[in-house]
Amino acid sequence: MAMEPKKPHDPEFLGGWRITGRLGEGGFGTVFIAEKGARKAAIKVVRDASVTDTNGSDRFHLEIAALQKLTDPFIAGVIDSDLDAEVPWFATEFINGPTLEEKVKYEGTLEERQWFNLAANIFHALKTTHLAGVVHKDVKPSNIILGETGNKLIDFGIAHISGLTRKVNIGDFEGSLPYSSPESSTGKSLPGMDVFSAAVTLAFAGLGRTIWKSNSELQMSRSINEDEPDLEGLSDLQQTFLKPLLNKNISDRPSSDQAYETCLRILQKLEGTRDDVDLRSWKRATKRIRKSNPAIKVGTAGIFLLALASISFYFNSHSSTSSNREVKISPSAIPTTSIQASKVTTPSPVGTGKIKASTSQECENEYLGKGPNVLTLCLSSANAGDKTSIYYIGRSYYDNQNYKEAEKWFLRGAIKQDLNSTRYLIETYTQEANTTERDRWTKICADTSYGATDTSPIKDIAYCKMMEGLILTRAGATKQSILYLTDAADLGNGDAATYLGIYYRDLDDKVNALKWLTRASELGNNNGINALIGYAMKIGDDALTMKWLLVSANSGNQVNMGVLAEEYYFKKDSVSAKKWATKGFSFGDITSTFILGAVTYDVGQQDQGKSLLIKAANKGNIEAIRMLGNIYRINEKNYTEAAVWYEKLASRNDFTGTAIYSSLLFLLGKDQDSCTYNDKVLSLGNQAKANGTYDATTMDTFMSSAQTTSDSYCSKLYKK
C-alpha cells in the first residue's frame, strides 16, 4: 500500500505512536502509518465529523469489536487503541505490501500453486472469523494485503457480529457489488456470504477480471443472481474447487472450514506429499458445519483475542509476496538451489548479540551516543575495512530512511561476511521491495558457514533462518520451511517459535503446539504468550491458562488484566477479580470495567456497581448489558428499565436477549411489538440452525415458547 506524506493538520503523536505518513482516507476516517520504537502500525482515526455521526462512529466501533474477537495469522490484528480519546483511534499491525488488487493489476495473475496458497490463507482467516460469530461481509481483492508475515484480511468496518450488530433491513446493500453474494440485499448476514465473496476474489486472482456480465450495475447484479460464473482460463483443478463455493443457494455452499481443509489437501498433492485428492464429495458440496470448541467461554475468548489477533513479527516489511503457505511473486524471487536446512549447534560464548568494537573509538562513541557526526567520524575506519564502522555508517543511513546509501554500505559489510551488515542488508532490500536480492541474501545468511562471532550475533543467524523459513513457506515448500523455523526457534527467535506453535495448533498436533508456544512464551514473546493462553483455553487446560494470564497481566498487558479478572470472577474469587479489574480499569480496559462493576454490585455497593456496569455497557460490553437487564428485571422488578437494556441486546441480534425483550414488551402492554420480536426469536433460531450455531440446551425452550406464542396468539391477533 502506497504511503502518502503527512498533511499540515495531521497529529504528530497518538498514544505514544509517532505519525510518519498516511496510508489512506475514507468517508469516516483516516489511516496513518506510525512508529513506536522499532515497531510500526497502521492507525485508523475517526474523522472529526464522524465522531458525532452515528453511522461513522458505529462502523468504527464495530470494526474494533470484530477484531477484538479474532486471532489469526492471516487477519491484521489490533495492537493498541484509545476509544475514550476525544478523537478515538485504534492501531493494527502494519503490513507493508500491496493489496491483492494491486498485485494482479501491476504484476499479473497467480499461477496454480500460488493461487491455492492464497486460497488456504483466505479460508483460514474466514474459518477463524466465522467460528467467532463474525461475518466479514466485504471480502474483496483490495481488502487482502500481501505482506511479509502473511496474506492479511483487513477492513471489518461493516462486519456482522453475532449478538452485537444491528439487523440489516431487507433491501439494504452492504459490500462491494462485483464480489457480493446473491444474499447481499436480503437483510441476512451469514458466513456463506463470505465464502461466495472469497471465491469471486480468488477467481479475480487467477483471471484478472470479473466472472460476471458487467455492462452495468443492474446487469452485474442479475448476473450474480442468475448466471453461471465465467471461469474460463482457470485450471480444471481451480474450477473444480471454485464451483461449489459459487453455488447460488447458500445452504449448498461448503463452509470456510471445509474450503480450508480442501485447500490443504490440494496443496499436499501439488507439493508431491500425497498422490491424489478425491474431490467427488467436494463437487457434491455436502455441507458439514463444525461447531466451535465448547471449552472456550464466548465472553472470555472474545475479549482476550484482542491481544492475540496479530502474529506481528518484529520486522516490518515491504514485499509483493506473502507467507504461511502463501503467494510468491515470481519464480526468480525464490532461490533455485536445493534447500538443506541442517540443525545449527549454538556456538560458544561468542555471538551473544554484542557488536565487535570498532577500530575507531570516536566512531564507536558517536554511533552508540546517537550523535550527528557518525558519517564523518566512521568514514576513515570504514574505508580501511573495519566491519563495525561499515555497519555503523549503514545503520546511520538506514535509520534516516536513506535506503540506497544504506544498501551500499551494508553490501560492503555483507561481502566481508559480517552478519550484522548482512541482516540489515536484508531489511534494506525489504524496504526497497527488492525481493530477488532480499531472498538471495537471506539464503546466504541462513545457510552461513562462517557462523556466530562477535560480529555475527546468534540473534542475527536466528533472524535469517526465520526469514528463510517464511520465504519457503510462501513458496509452498512447507517441509523445508519448518526446518529453518525450527532452527530459528532453537536459537532463541520467539517469533519463529510462535509461528511453529500456531502451525502445529492448526494441525491439531497438541504436543508440538504446546512445545513451541511454551518456548515462545518463555522467550518473552508477547504474541507467543497470547497464543499459548488461547490454546490453553481451547484445550481446557485451566492451570496453564491462569499461569500465563498472570505472566501477561504482571508484565502490563492491559487486555489480559481484564481477561484474568473475568476468569477469577467466574471462579468466584472476588478478591482476585477485583484486584485485576481495578488495575485494568485504571488503563480504561472495558472488560475490567465490567468485572469491577459486577464485583462492586455483588458486595452490596449497588449504585456504584451499576454506574460502572453502565459505563462498560455504553462501550459495547455485551455481558454488562446483560447483567444490567437482569438486575432491573429480576432484582428490582423494574421492567421498564430492564426493557431498555434488553432492547440493546435485541438490536444486536442476541437470541436470549431478544426472547426476554419480547416477554417484557408483553408485560408492558405492548402486544404488537412483543409479537414482532417474538417473530425475530424464531428467525434468529432458524438462522442459527442453518449456520450450525444452534445450541439446543439453551435455545430449545425459547424456540418452543416463541412458536407457541406465534401460533396461538400473534398469528391470530395480528393476521395480515
Side-chain angles (χ1 to χ4, degrees):
M1 300 179 71
M3 186 177 78
E4 302 172 1
K6 288 171 56 180
K7 294 184 178 180
H9 62 276
D10 288 343
E12 289 295 321
F13 289 90
L14 284 171
W17 293 90
R18 182 172 65 87
I19 306 299
T20 60
R22 285 172 163 239
L23 290 173
E25 189 168 8
F28 297 108
T30 304
V31 181
F32 297 106
I33 183 172
E35 297 178 347
K36 182 186 285 187
R39 200 174 193 188
K40 292 184 180 180
I43 297 186
K44 181 172 284 191
V45 179
V46 177
R47 190 187 305 281
D48 291 344
S50 296
V51 175
T52 55
D53 177 77
T54 302
N55 191 25
S57 180
D58 284 352
R59 283 188 58 172
F60 182 84
H61 284 82
L62 174 65
E63 183 166 8
I64 193 169
L67 289 172
Q68 285 176 336
K69 293 175 70 66
L70 304 175
T71 173
D72 192 275
F74 309 117
I75 295 174
V78 175
I79 57 178
D80 199 0
S81 66
D82 187 352
L83 302 185
D84 293 325
E86 184 176 351
V87 179
W89 59 270
F90 69 87
T92 61
E93 56 176 315
F94 173 65
I95 309 141
N96 196 357
T99 65
L100 177 60
E101 182 178 55
E102 293 167 337
K103 194 273 171 194
V104 172
K105 179 178 179 181
Y106 295 112
E107 299 184 36
T109 58
L110 308 183
E111 56 88 13
E112 188 176 63
R113 190 172 70 172
Q114 297 171 333
W115 189 90
F116 276 108
N117 286 334
L118 173 64
N121 298 161
I122 293 174
F123 285 113
H124 191 289
L126 290 179
K127 169 185 172 181
T128 297
T129 300
H130 297 159
L131 285 176
V134 177
V135 181
H136 187 281
K137 299 185 70 174
D138 200 16
V139 179
K140 58 184 178 180
S142 61
N143 281 340
I144 297 168
I145 300 181
L146 309 183
E148 187 66 38
T149 58
N151 298 323
K152 306 282 184 173
L153 180 63
I154 64 169
D155 196 352
F156 284 73
I158 63 170
H160 169 82
I161 307 174
S162 178
L164 178 63
T165 316
R166 65 178 177 81
K167 182 178 179 180
V168 179
N169 296 320
I170 295 176
D172 288 352
F173 178 83
E174 291 187 322
S176 301
L177 181 60
Y179 303 97
S180 63
S181 67
E183 309 83 29
S184 294
S185 298
T186 63
K188 297 179 180 179
S189 298
L190 301 174
M193 299 167 69
D194 285 345
V195 170
F196 190 95
S197 297
V200 182
T201 296
L202 285 164
F204 171 82
L207 295 168
R209 60 169 174 80
T210 182
I211 57 176
W212 311 116
K213 296 175 182 177
S214 55
N215 288 338
S216 66
E217 287 191 4
L218 179 59
Q219 185 190 46
M220 179 173 285
S221 181
R222 286 178 176 172
S223 186
I224 291 170
N225 283 274
E226 300 171 5
D227 295 336
E228 288 298 311
D230 177 10
L231 301 176
E232 185 176 354
L234 294 176
S235 71
D236 290 343
L237 188 56
Q238 288 172 315
Q239 292 192 40
T240 298
F241 177 72
L242 284 182
K243 285 179 181 178
L245 304 173
L246 293 169
N247 199 302
K248 306 295 185 186
N249 187 345
I250 191 170
S251 64
D252 290 334
R253 285 175 215 148
S255 67
S256 53
D257 190 356
Q258 288 174 291
Y260 171 66
E261 296 296 334
T262 300
C263 278
L264 291 188
R265 292 196 296 272
I266 292 173
L267 283 169
Q268 289 171 345
K269 177 182 183 297
L270 294 174
E271 291 172 13
T273 57
R274 63 188 298 161
D275 295 331
D276 201 1
V277 180
D278 184 357
L279 293 178
R280 286 174 295 181
S281 61
W282 176 257
K283 291 177 182 179
R284 292 192 294 270
T286 304
K287 186 158 183 169
R288 301 179 299 276
I289 301 294
R290 291 186 184 180
K291 295 185 179 181
S292 55
N293 192 313
I296 304 176
K297 291 198 298 288
V298 173
T300 303
I303 299 300
F304 116 86
L305 291 176
L306 166 62
L308 180 55
S310 163
I311 299 183
S312 177
F313 295 101
Y314 60 85
F315 60 94
N316 290 292
S317 53
H318 178 252
S319 172
S320 298
T321 63
S322 52
S323 63
N324 301 339
R325 308 184 189 95
E326 331 241 322
V327 178
K328 58 177 181 176
I329 289 308
S330 66
S332 62
I334 302 298
T336 57
T337 55
S338 61
I339 307 298
Q340 297 293 332
S342 59
K343 300 293 279 185
V344 175
T345 303
T346 303
S348 61
V350 296
T352 57
K354 297 180 180 179
I355 300 172
K356 182 179 179 180
S358 171
T359 56
S360 170
Q361 192 61 50
E362 287 182 322
C363 168
E364 179 94 33
N365 294 339
E366 188 71 5
Y367 178 80
L368 296 179
K370 299 182 179 180
N373 300 314
V374 173
L375 301 180
T376 301
L377 295 175
C378 293
L379 186 60
S380 176
S381 53
N383 283 332
D386 178 53
K387 295 178 183 178
T388 307
S389 297
I390 292 171
Y391 168 76
Y392 286 150
I393 292 178
R395 279 301 302 270
S396 181
Y397 281 120
Y398 182 91
D399 293 344
N400 287 290
Q401 299 182 9
N402 186 342
Y403 299 123
K404 286 297 182 186
E405 289 299 318
E407 177 191 340
K408 294 176 185 177
W409 287 97
F410 288 142
L411 188 56
R412 287 177 63 176
I415 291 171
K416 290 178 175 289
Q417 298 188 342
D418 174 51
L419 212 53
N420 292 300
S421 290
T422 305
R423 183 260 176 87
Y424 272 91
L425 178 63
I426 294 167
E427 299 249 23
T428 301
Y429 283 134
T430 297
Q431 294 294 336
E432 294 177 322
N434 187 341
T435 55
T436 301
E437 286 302 303
R438 181 207 62 193
D439 292 354
R440 186 170 76 87
W441 279 100
T442 298
K443 180 75 167 66
I444 292 170
C445 180
D447 291 343
T448 180
S449 60
Y450 48 90
T453 68
D454 49 3
T455 57
S456 302
I458 291 293
K459 65 177 183 179
D460 286 348
I461 297 175
Y463 167 85
C464 292
K465 288 186 176 293
M466 179 189 69
M467 283 286 290
E468 181 66 5
L470 295 177
I471 290 169
L472 290 167
T473 300
R474 183 173 63 248
T478 306
K479 285 186 176 180
Q480 296 96 322
S481 74
I482 294 302
L483 292 175
Y484 278 101
L485 289 166
T486 301
D487 282 347
D490 283 341
L491 291 172
N493 187 288
D495 291 319
T498 300
Y499 177 90
L500 288 168
I502 291 175
Y503 170 78
Y504 285 114
R505 179 199 69 187
D506 290 346
L507 292 178
D508 291 327
D509 184 340
K510 179 178 176 181
V511 173
N512 277 310
L514 287 174
K515 170 187 172 182
W516 290 113
L517 290 178
T518 300
R519 171 71 168 152
S521 300
E522 290 171 346
L523 288 168
N525 185 282
N526 288 327
N527 290 315
I529 292 172
N530 287 319
L532 181 57
I533 292 169
Y535 190 60
M537 284 182 170
K538 179 179 179 179
I539 63 177
D541 191 331
D542 186 64
L544 192 62
T545 299
M546 296 302 291
K547 172 185 175 179
W548 287 103
L549 273 175
L550 280 165
V551 170
S552 181
N554 277 316
S555 70
N557 187 303
Q558 301 161 21
V559 173
N560 281 344
M561 290 178 187
V563 178
L564 186 59
E566 190 174 47
E567 287 291 313
Y568 278 125
Y569 182 71
F570 289 134
K571 296 178 189 299
K572 303 189 183 304
D573 184 346
S574 297
V575 174
S576 297
K578 184 175 182 180
K579 168 189 170 182
W580 286 107
T582 301
K583 288 187 177 182
F585 175 74
S586 69
F587 292 106
D589 178 68
I590 302 305
T591 303
S592 297
T593 305
F594 157 59
I595 295 298
L596 187 59
V599 172
T600 303
Y601 183 89
D602 289 348
V603 299
Q605 297 175 308
Q606 296 178 349
D607 289 342
Q608 185 179 353
K610 284 196 292 186
S611 177
L612 288 166
L613 288 170
I614 289 170
K615 184 173 182 177
N618 287 335
K619 293 291 185 180
N621 185 281
I622 296 295
E623 296 306 318
I625 296 173
R626 198 182 311 281
M627 186 169 183
L628 284 166
N630 287 338
I631 287 172
Y632 287 114
R633 178 174 66 95
I634 300 171
N635 297 358
E636 300 183 11
K637 302 293 189 288
N638 184 341
Y639 301 132
T640 301
E641 188 63 27
V644 171
W645 295 104
Y646 281 109
E647 183 182 19
K648 294 181 183 295
L649 293 174
S651 70
R652 290 164 169 79
N653 291 335
D654 180 89
F655 177 82
T656 304
T658 303
I660 295 174
Y661 183 54
S662 176
S663 300
L664 287 170
L665 288 171
F666 185 80
L667 288 173
L668 294 171
K670 299 180 180 181
D671 293 8
Q672 189 163 358
D673 289 340
S674 175
C675 285
T676 298
Y677 280 93
N678 188 75
D679 288 343
K680 184 174 181 178
V681 173
L682 294 172
S683 176
L684 291 173
N686 289 329
Q687 285 180 23
K689 290 177 181 178
N691 61 31
T693 60
Y694 189 87
D695 183 351
T697 304
T698 58
M699 300 174 77
D700 271 355
T701 301
F702 286 116
M703 285 290 283
S704 177
S705 176
Q707 190 64 59
T708 300
T709 300
S710 177
D711 293 341
S712 63
Y713 182 74
C714 293
S715 62
K716 296 177 181 179
L717 188 63
Y718 299 108
K719 286 183 178 178
K720 294 184 179 179

